[in-house]
Amino acid sequence: MLNLERLRTLDALARHGSVSAAADALHVTTSAVSQQLAKLEREIGQRLLAKNGRGVRLTDAGRLLSEHASRILSQVELAQSDLEAHRGQVVGELRLSAFPTAARGLFPAALGALRAEHPGLRVRSSELEPEQGIAGVVRGDLDVAVVLDWYNKPMPVPDGLVKAPLLDDPADVALPAGHRLADRDEVDLTEFAEDEWITWGEGEFCHEWLMFTLRSKGIEPIVGHRAGESHTQLGLVEAGLGVCIAPLLGRNPVPEGVVLVPLRQRVRRHVYAVWRADADRRPSIRAAVEALRATARRIG
């Protein structure tokens, strides 16, 4: 009989490519991963791993079993989902993530409502960028991730995930009160060709969107400062250090020295929740998505 936890360990190694990465994903030590895999090798009587430089690689037998492990774990998830749906109770543990402004703008009200309505449900939440959240759901580290894409730059969603829209999040340009365009009713991005931009961290999806959008208009962006949190960006704008894109979600209160001006070509982020299709029937996931939607309706 194959041990489920050892199959889960093998699956994590196959997904992440190294013992240390598998240990991080499973929240265990590298020694625990090695021990589980060694026990699995003894159980099946075949080598699953071979040395590859300083790391390891899966043998043919390891690849074969890891493919089965992925399907088995998916079936286990489906069975648990069906049992939870049959019981019809919103209980157990639910792990959620959201990108920072959604965590600020949606989680307090939504998770507070979940706790009030379903005291038997234990919710664990974290802030993660959209790509990290989607990867966590794919791996099974998370049950639901709140993610985003932009009107002109979709976020790829892997097969096997379900997604539900939460809200469309409009964005304006945030300017220092003394900026030359601060008294305008609307502006165009091309008018900021000489301005310094305050943007998100290098490699983050929103930063890549801003670079892509400005360059598509013939502007080579001048990046002065980077900050992951909207309120830090707005603080830098208030100090006269540049301009930034300011989505509605999570930006209030806006500092007194900052003026928000709409863009002539309206800019929106699409915010949605994703979860694994094989967990679609879990009442806890459905309750969480409905709580997020209810909060989003009050915002938008």
Side-chain angles (χ1 to χ4, degrees):
M1 180 70 70
L2 293 169
N3 180 281
L4 192 61
E5 286 309 308
R6 288 166 199 155
L7 290 179
R8 196 180 304 279
T9 302
L10 178 64
D11 180 64
L13 178 66
R15 287 179 184 273
H16 299 287
S18 71
V19 171
S20 59
D24 288 341
L26 296 169
H27 306 292
V28 298
T29 64
T30 55
S31 176
V33 169
S34 298
Q35 289 173 16
Q36 289 280 55
L37 293 174
K39 289 177 181 178
L40 186 57
E41 285 184 326
R42 289 197 293 272
E43 285 176 352
I44 66 170
Q46 296 186 57
R47 289 186 63 194
L48 299 174
L49 303 177
K51 287 195 173 298
N52 184 33
R54 295 185 178 182
V56 296
R57 61 173 177 83
L58 292 174
T59 63
D60 290 344
R63 284 194 297 273
L64 177 65
L65 185 56
S66 71
E67 291 170 2
H68 283 290
S70 178
R71 292 193 290 271
I72 290 167
L73 293 170
S74 181
Q75 283 298 117
V76 169
E77 179 74 32
L78 184 60
Q80 291 172 336
S81 177
D82 284 346
L83 286 170
E84 189 176 319
H86 184 266
R87 184 171 53 192
Q89 296 178 332
V90 181
V91 295
E93 181 172 282
L94 195 69
R95 301 155 298 171
L96 295 92
S97 76
F99 59 95
T101 50
R104 176 186 175 89
L106 295 176
F107 272 7
L111 301 190
L114 266 181
R115 172 170 288 186
E117 293 178 28
H118 307 289
L121 179 66
R122 185 171 64 255
V123 177
R124 299 287 179 262
S125 70
S126 57
E127 283 189 6
L128 290 175
E129 289 301 316
E131 301 96 327
Q132 295 172 302
I134 287 175
V137 173
V138 170
R139 291 194 305 264
D141 301 337
L142 295 169
D143 299 302
V144 178
V146 177
V147 300
L148 65 90
D149 56 24
W150 292 85
Y151 74 102
N152 61 341
K153 191 173 177 64
M155 167 70 73
V157 175
D159 292 340
L161 299 189
V162 178
K163 75 181 207 178
L166 299 178
L167 78 156
D168 279 351
D169 187 24
D172 302 316
V173 180
L175 314 174
H179 193 278
R180 68 187 188 283
L181 302 176
D183 61 349
R184 293 274 294 276
D185 292 331
E186 60 181 17
V187 291
D188 191 278
L189 281 174
T190 56
E191 297 180 88
F192 297 96
E194 303 303 321
D195 285 89
E196 286 194 48
W197 283 93
I198 297 160
T199 181
W200 296 266
E202 182 72 39
E204 290 185 16
F205 186 71
C206 289
H207 170 77
E208 295 303 321
W209 164 80
L210 181 60
M211 299 299 102
F212 166 80
T213 302
L214 292 173
R215 286 168 180 154
S216 71
K217 295 181 177 293
I219 300 169
E220 184 53 37
I222 304 169
V223 176
H225 303 276
R226 302 177 187 276
E229 173 53 53
S230 292
H231 282 74
T232 305
Q233 293 185 8
L234 292 173
L236 294 168
V237 172
E238 185 180 32
L241 298 173
V243 301
C244 76
I245 295 292
L248 174 64
L249 185 62
R251 77 184 178 196
N252 292 323
V254 177
E256 290 185 7
V258 173
V259 175
L260 299 172
V261 182
L263 283 157
R264 189 169 294 117
Q265 181 185 5
R266 297 293 183 251
V267 170
R268 290 180 177 273
R269 302 190 299 184
H270 308 302
V271 180
Y272 49 94
V274 298
W275 62 94
R276 287 170 63 104
D278 53 21
D280 190 43
R281 296 184 61 195
R282 288 178 58 188
S284 56
I285 287 179
R286 295 190 172 274
V289 172
E290 181 49 43
L292 289 164
R293 279 177 161 166
T295 300
R297 284 193 294 268
R298 290 194 293 273
I299 293 172

